[in-house]
Amino acid sequence: MDSWAGWREQGARMLDRASWRAAAALVAGALPALAFPAPSLWWFAYVCLVPLLLLIRSAGTARRAALDGWLGGTGYMLAVHHWLMPSLHVFIVILAALLGLLWAPWGLLVGRLLRGPMTGVAVAAAAVVVPCGWLMIELVRSWEALGGPWGLLGASQWQVAPALRLASVGGVWLVSLLVVAVNTALTVLVAHSAARAAAVVSLVVGALAVGSAWMWAPRPEWSGTARIAVVQPGVVEGPGSVQRRLARSEELTRSLAGRDLDLVVWGESSLGVDPARRPDVAARLAALSRTVGADLLVNVDARQTDGAGRTGIFKSAVLVGPRGLTGDRYDKMRLVPFGEYIPARPALGWATSMGRAAGEDRLRGTGPVTMRLPGADGLRLGPLVCFESAFPDMSRRLARDGVQLLVAQSSTSSFQQGWAPGQHASLGALRAAESGRPMVHATLTGVSAVYGPRGEAVGAPLGTDTSGAAVYGVPLARGTTLYVRLGDWPLYGALGVLAVYCAFEGVRALRGRGRTRAVGVAASAGS
């Protein structure tokens, strides 16, 4: 015990030094990255915030708590997006520090709620309000111009069936709430011995809520099976790579002949020319469609003209049938900041000289598209491109529009050796569970993966070391999840909780000032 007390005292002295404390906050904030692919330590998500919460709790002032929150958020953003370093270099540090500011108010909130003695009511308030504050961070940084909803804490639970069930009720937002609530309760268990009973009660209530969702939330009903093939040509580099990639994709597609397919899906940027402008390419694709007996969903990254007459570089999902282009085309709506366009290019265009930032802004599509395969009972597809699969509202909108299958075409070849391919593929499980619709995540270079309507993995994924094609029997479903029906209600609930908390604190502050003024008046009268 004496040894432990000595270690604690020494640790407290180290944290009193600003440099040590700043380093501790950065490291503590980075820990949650281990819960995401590639490490995929999903269970770690439920304890990963405890060190940061304890650190903020020990802050002696509100200013220090806000600073700890900011540094923790900076560490989180750097760790979750570290694979962007080759593309953005030092600029990723600047972006992480700017986005980390979103955690400063959360630091104030944590310091206020977890410092000092805690009653049962205070524990319950912390277990609710602290997660709601975290959810506001996730909401704000989910704005496309700030990088989009990549690395939401709830997304770390993509392999956990009860969490996916919870996602069908309230989306990834509800899962994030649960994960942060568990971390908060565990922090109380560690730091407040007198409030441990209340913390345990909070954990039990959370477990009961998850169990209730597991038992009573509507489940998608099986409605058949679609045979979908994914073609992944693998890494093709050097001179003539666009043509050689097309040739490899054609070779792999021809190998699928006679497999009784409904659809063949290629990855993002699988074509470097617009087949509408290149009849020879369109004819080659149509011949492939006839060979395999199924339509092809390819992806064009080239200068094109859309239906409104705009000409520029679009990223487009294009459906090709035995007779050529079907006319179904979806233009990517949400673009990757710096990768596909430069926000405020006149001010930030210098970023192109520091990494692989976009030299020319891509043009955006105008709305979602539902594609339909031929036949009286033709399968209805909802295409997404690249990091659009990170946005819960996009797949939800497609499910409401009646699609039966979500298809995300992606390419993470620039980050082939990092964690990005696995992280990106994992998002398909969340989108499938939220919408109650299966998702095919097809890439050029891996990881390609398929998920059923409950977020369950279908077949084996194609890894980053694979050049090949695979056929999946994809289970289809009918019915509507609560998330599709109700939308982002956890976000609105969190906003309501924070509004009530702020109002309560405001009233209490006013009453405190009133009492202080009354005591001062009484003292003056007495003298």
Side-chain angles (χ1 to χ4, degrees), residues 203-213:
L203 291 171
V204 171
V205 169
L208 290 174
V210 174
S212 297

Side-chain angles (χ1 to χ4, degrees), residues 46 127-128 162 166 174 177-179 181-182 185 198-214:
Y46 294 94
V128 173
L166 204 62
L174 191 56
L177 276 175
L178 171 70
V179 172
V182 171
V200 170
V201 170
S202 298
L203 291 171
V204 171
V205 169
L208 290 174
V210 174
S212 297
W214 180 266

Side-chain angles (χ1 to χ4, degrees), residues 291-318:
T291 298
V292 298
D295 283 13
L296 275 62
L297 186 66
V298 300
N299 192 275
V300 180
D301 184 359
R303 196 167 299 278
Q304 307 171 60
T305 301
D306 71 354
R310 295 181 300 160
T311 298
I313 300 177
F314 290 89
K315 286 201 172 183
S316 307
V318 176

Side-chain angles (χ1 to χ4, degrees), residues 399-418:
R400 289 175 65 113
D401 288 346
V403 303
Q404 298 167 282
L405 175 69
L406 300 169
V407 181
Q409 296 171 298
S410 176
S411 171
T412 50
S413 54
S414 298
F415 316 104
Q416 194 74 355
Q417 306 306 319

Side-chain angles (χ1 to χ4, degrees), residues 104-489:
W106 185 74
L108 288 171
L109 195 66
V110 170
R112 179 81 174 177
L113 287 164
L114 294 182
R115 191 185 303 127
M118 298 189 71
T119 63
V121 173
V123 172
V128 173
V129 178
V130 169
C132 289
W134 181 278
L135 206 60
M136 291 302 100
I137 298 170
E138 295 198 336
L139 171 62
V140 173
R141 74 178 186 86
S142 292
W143 183 35
E144 175 198 335
L146 294 181
W150 192 285
L152 303 184
L153 196 54
S156 65
Q157 304 304 292
W158 65 281
Q159 299 178 88
V160 184
L164 292 172
R165 196 90 170 90
L166 204 62
S168 75
V169 176
V172 68
W173 315 111
L174 191 56
V175 184
S176 287
L177 276 175
L178 171 70
V179 172
V180 181
V182 171
N183 276 274
T184 305
L186 290 177
T187 301
V188 174
L189 276 174
V190 172
H192 297 279
S193 57
R196 284 174 180 166
V200 170
V201 170
S202 298
L203 291 171
V204 171
V205 169
L208 290 174
V210 174
S212 297
W214 180 266
M215 292 293 295
W216 302 111
R219 295 176 184 266
E221 299 177 12
W222 182 80
S223 63
T225 302
R227 288 181 58 78
I228 311 296
V230 172
V231 170
Q232 180 176 294
V235 177
V236 181
E237 298 177 320
S241 59
V242 174
Q243 293 78 13
R244 289 188 290 114
R245 181 186 301 119
L246 175 57
R248 177 59 176 158
S249 298
E250 289 177 309
E251 177 188 358
L252 292 170
T253 302
R254 280 192 291 269
S255 71
L256 297 169
R259 301 289 296 275
D260 189 26
L261 301 175
D262 294 298
L263 179 70
V264 178
V265 184
W266 290 10
E268 179 190 12
S269 304
S270 47
L271 293 181
V273 296
D274 179 8
R277 295 184 173 189
R278 289 285 301 274
D280 58 324
V281 174
R284 288 165 65 180
L285 296 174
L288 280 176
S289 175
R290 291 192 295 272
T291 298
V292 298
D295 283 13
L296 275 62
L297 186 66
V298 300
N299 192 275
V300 180
D301 184 359
R303 196 167 299 278
Q304 307 171 60
T305 301
D306 71 354
R310 295 181 300 160
T311 298
I313 300 177
F314 290 89
K315 286 201 172 183
S316 307
V318 176
L319 194 63
V320 184
R323 297 182 180 179
L325 303 179
T326 66
D328 288 327
R329 165 179 155 175
Y330 166 69
D331 298 322
K332 185 178 182 182
M333 297 167 57
R334 295 185 182 172
L335 304 177
V336 180
F338 299 98
E340 294 170 340
Y341 79 105
I342 304 293
R345 184 177 283 273
L348 299 176
W350 54 268
T352 59
S353 64
M354 299 181 60
R356 303 174 196 162
E360 177 183 350
D361 292 349
R362 267 59 173 172
L363 298 186
R364 301 172 186 271
T366 56
V369 170
T370 299
M371 300 179 178
R372 187 166 190 147
L373 298 183
D377 299 320
L379 191 65
R380 295 186 298 277
L381 315 176
L384 299 167
V385 181
C386 191
F387 96 139
E388 288 182 332
S389 65
F391 292 86
D393 65 299
M394 296 194 74
S395 50
R396 175 175 175 260
R397 166 69 184 274
L398 288 169
R400 289 175 65 113
D401 288 346
V403 303
Q404 298 167 282
L405 175 69
L406 300 169
V407 181
Q409 296 171 298
S410 176
S411 171
T412 50
S413 54
S414 298
F415 316 104
Q416 194 74 355
Q417 306 306 319
W419 295 1
Q423 288 182 15
H424 199 178
S426 70
L427 296 174
L430 271 297
R431 303 294 86 85
E434 290 168 343
S435 63
R437 297 294 179 265
M439 172 169 267
V440 174
H441 179 85
T443 73
L444 290 181
T445 59
V447 174
S448 296
V450 177
Y451 302 96
R454 298 180 183 180
E456 75 279 16
V458 176
L462 298 177
T464 54
D465 58 349
T466 300
S467 173
V471 177
Y472 298 88
V474 181
L476 304 177
R478 57 174 173 264
T480 308
T481 65
L482 288 177
Y483 177 67
V484 171
R485 294 180 202 171
L486 304 177
D488 298 323
W489 63 267

